[in-house]
Amino acid sequence: MITTTSLSILAAVVALAALVSLGVLALRLRRSSDALSSNITIWKNRLESDLQQAREERNRLLDALSDAFLLIDSESIIRFANAAAHQLFNCRDLINRPAREIFLDPRLSEALLHCLETGDPVQSRVLLAQQSSPRGDLETRGINTWMIDAARIPNSEGSLPTTRVIIRDMTAEHQTEQIRKDFVANASHELRTPMAIINGYLENLLDDNMLEDPEMTRRFLSIMRKHADRISRIVEDMLVISRLESGEANSLKVEPFRFRSCINDILERLESVIRNQNASVTITMSDEALTLHGDRFYWTQVLFNLVENALKQNPHPGLKVEIGGENAADCHRIWITDNGIGIPSADLPHIFRRFYRVEKHHSQREIKGTGLGLSIVKRAIEAHGGTITVTSVPGRETKFLITLPKDAQITETHPAATP
Ligand code: ADP
């Protein structure tokens, strides 16, 4: 028989057991909640460090851009600027500044502000004729060109728009384009004159019945031939320049050759001119076996153009021309000097430009040159990794000095280097 006491003891045992299991459950619960919160902290830290890493990676990538890059928020405040932007704006503080404040020239900020206000993407080329850059300081290089490219970045639904801005220095591209345009304009101009002359004589011969007069016909034809020769000389020179500029320098036929053999070639070609002008050409070589590595064809042309120029510009008797060469420790030096009329100092900086001729010289009127000779000389030398300089004391000495480093790299010439 179960007594009341026994029942009470049983109830107490059951209650105790329930209490114990409740305590165990509570303990377990606390343990797992502790584990959960420490896990959350770990995940949170990991997430933050991942985010930081991603941000650093993004900044590194944007810093690697050569163009200036900015991120601007919906209030027109700069939130990010890459390394190129800091450099462009002279490391001024850019972050947290209003975008309109950073450009000192309003022509540059105009396009960007339009994009910020309307949200329309802009790509604007700004030509600054005045000597200033986006940072507003004085530049020595004259006209410079900038491209401002701004567009809103598509954001997630509901968030405020961010605008990305790229600022690119397009000065070199603009110059190259300008040089090409000038080249075409100059070439057309140079070709138009002889062509108009030929047409004029043809009209005379055909329309005015000059063909009946054989003497006149012969005279006209010989004038026409002179101008036709000029056209073909200009075209040939232009082809040489364009070959040198088009990267064909990479396919220069590079081989060792004796410089003396080029001298012999050009002296042979110019022999009658030298004799007729009663000029003297002396050769000064410290090493008769001076050997160059390069394209012998272009080196012969370089030498020919320079010596022919000296003779052409000084048709009076008694001109002295010197062709020199020396083998220095780290370079070869080649020079061509003459004691003729010389080049005025005001013209010296322009002398290697295409179609440039010294106004005062008689050669221009007598259709002797194309104005491309020195341009070819400079490009050919640069394609071989060398340089050329000129000095002139009119009536005393005009000297073209070529320096060719012994470890010179044969490269492509860039039209921007010389207009
Ligand atoms: P061109 O075909 O007219 O000779 P170049 O490019 O060879 O063209 O030369 C440009 C100009 O430089 C010449 O027209 C001439 O006025 C000047 N020049 C070049 N070499 C000499 C020189 N040795 N003496 C005087 N003037 C020179």
Side-chain angles (χ1 to χ4, degrees):
M1 212 172 117
I2 302 165
T3 64
T4 322
T5 321
S6 313
L7 270 175
S8 316
I9 292 169
L10 193 66
V13 169
V14 170
L16 195 67
L19 265 175
V20 168
S21 64
L22 257 177
V24 169
L25 193 69
L27 198 71
R28 274 205 197 127
L29 266 175
R30 210 183 36 237
R31 275 207 195 123
S32 51
S33 123
D34 283 353
L36 193 70
S37 72
S38 90
N39 271 349
I40 288 175
T41 317
I42 290 170
W43 290 334
K44 204 175 136 215
N45 289 345
R46 201 174 289 160
L47 222 83
E48 266 167 16
S49 111
D50 283 355
L51 202 68
Q52 180 64 18
Q53 253 179 22
R55 235 184 250 130
E56 281 168 10
E57 183 66 12
R58 178 202 71 178
N59 292 358
R60 250 199 311 278
L61 285 174
L62 292 172
D63 279 346
L65 290 176
S66 53
D67 296 334
F69 182 89
L70 304 168
L71 287 175
I72 300 175
D73 72 9
S74 58
E75 304 289 313
S76 298
I77 303 293
I78 299 171
R79 293 296 175 204
F80 175 81
N82 72 348
H86 283 286
Q87 206 180 357
L88 180 65
F89 291 96
N90 236 358
C91 301
R92 279 205 312 256
D93 276 344
L94 296 176
I95 309 303
N96 298 332
R97 281 187 66 186
R100 69 181 66 236
E101 274 183 15
I102 62 163
F103 293 99
L104 297 186
D105 192 309
R107 281 170 294 178
L108 287 158
S109 49
E110 212 172 301
L112 169 61
L113 294 178
H114 175 78
C115 173
L116 289 172
E117 276 156 27
T118 62
D120 295 340
V122 284
Q123 240 195 31
S124 161
R125 211 170 188 216
V126 186
L127 201 88
L128 296 182
Q130 121 230 49
Q131 299 192 329
S132 68
S133 74
R135 53 180 180 259
D137 58 352
L138 282 184
E139 295 255 317
T140 47
R141 58 187 173 161
I143 289 184
N144 52 78
T145 313
W146 298 90
M147 201 263 296
I148 311 284
D149 178 356
R152 274 193 185 161
I153 299 174
N155 270 8
S156 54
E157 196 88 5
S159 60
L160 292 166
T162 302
T163 302
R164 64 114 184 101
V165 186
I166 297 168
I167 306 167
R168 179 172 300 160
D169 186 352
M170 303 278 288
T171 308
E173 285 88 341
H174 175 77
Q175 274 174 358
T176 310
E177 201 180 296
Q178 201 55 43
I179 287 164
R180 288 202 189 284
K181 277 188 198 154
D182 289 350
F183 186 37
V184 173
N186 285 336
S188 319
H189 175 78
E190 292 291 326
L191 292 171
R192 206 165 42 203
T193 313
M195 275 176 27
I197 295 172
I198 292 173
N199 276 337
Y201 280 105
L202 275 175
E203 254 170 48
N204 279 341
L205 281 176
L206 297 173
D207 301 345
D208 304 339
N209 276 334
M210 292 276 192
L211 285 169
E212 316 283 295
D213 181 343
E215 191 141 324
M216 195 65 96
T217 306
R218 178 169 288 277
R219 202 169 74 80
F220 279 15
L221 284 175
S222 82
I223 295 172
M224 282 158 64
R225 184 162 75 182
K226 210 161 82 174
H227 289 278
D229 280 352
R230 177 168 170 73
I231 292 176
S232 62
R233 262 207 315 272
I234 292 177
V235 172
E236 265 168 40
D237 282 356
M238 278 170 30
L239 283 174
V240 174
I241 290 186
S242 115
R243 268 204 301 274
L244 282 166
E245 280 181 358
S246 67
E248 208 185 287
N250 288 335
S251 57
L252 287 179
K253 285 198 206 91
V254 182
E255 54 189 4
F257 62 91
R258 290 258 172 108
F259 183 57
R260 180 69 214 217
S261 70
C262 292
I263 301 181
N264 293 346
D265 272 9
I266 67 118
L267 289 184
E268 209 177 291
R269 277 160 66 187
L270 290 167
E271 192 192 347
S272 65
V273 187
I274 296 169
R275 194 168 1 95
N276 291 343
Q277 285 189 205
N278 204 8
S280 75
V281 179
T282 52
I283 296 156
T284 315
M285 302 249 290
S286 60
D287 174 12
E288 275 287 310
L290 178 69
T291 300
L292 302 185
H293 285 261
D295 193 322
R296 190 178 179 283
F297 167 82
Y298 284 115
W299 279 105
T300 310
Q301 181 144 18
V302 164
L303 198 58
F304 181 87
N305 287 2
L306 292 173
V307 176
E308 195 206 26
N309 269 352
L311 293 162
K312 195 165 67 174
Q313 299 298 334
N314 303 287
H316 53 271
L319 178 78
K320 287 194 173 76
V321 180
E322 181 190 311
I323 304 173
E326 72 178 9
N327 199 351
D330 54 350
C331 68
H332 298 298
R333 267 185 224 108
I334 293 161
W335 60 93
I336 289 88
T337 64
D338 70 72
N339 64 344
I341 174 177
I343 304 166
S345 54
D347 294 290
L348 282 178
H350 313 291
I351 208 81
F352 293 104
R353 280 163 59 172
R354 293 185 275 210
F355 296 113
Y356 191 88
R357 273 172 279 167
V358 178
E359 288 291 323
K360 276 175 249 141
H361 287 186
H362 42 77
S363 62
Q364 284 56 262
R365 267 170 276 125
E366 293 183 3
I367 322 174
K368 276 183 179 169
T370 60
L372 293 171
L374 287 181
S375 194
I376 291 175
V377 164
K378 190 168 196 292
R379 276 168 176 75
I381 293 169
E382 284 173 354
H384 285 87
T387 53
I388 180 165
T389 55
V390 56
T391 50
S392 182
V393 182
R396 289 248 303 275
E397 185 188 76
T398 296
K399 181 172 189 172
F400 288 88
L401 176 67
I402 301 164
T403 310
L404 186 67
K406 286 186 177 162
D407 59 357
Q409 299 289 315
I410 310 275
T411 56
E412 182 185 331
T413 49
H414 295 287
T418 318

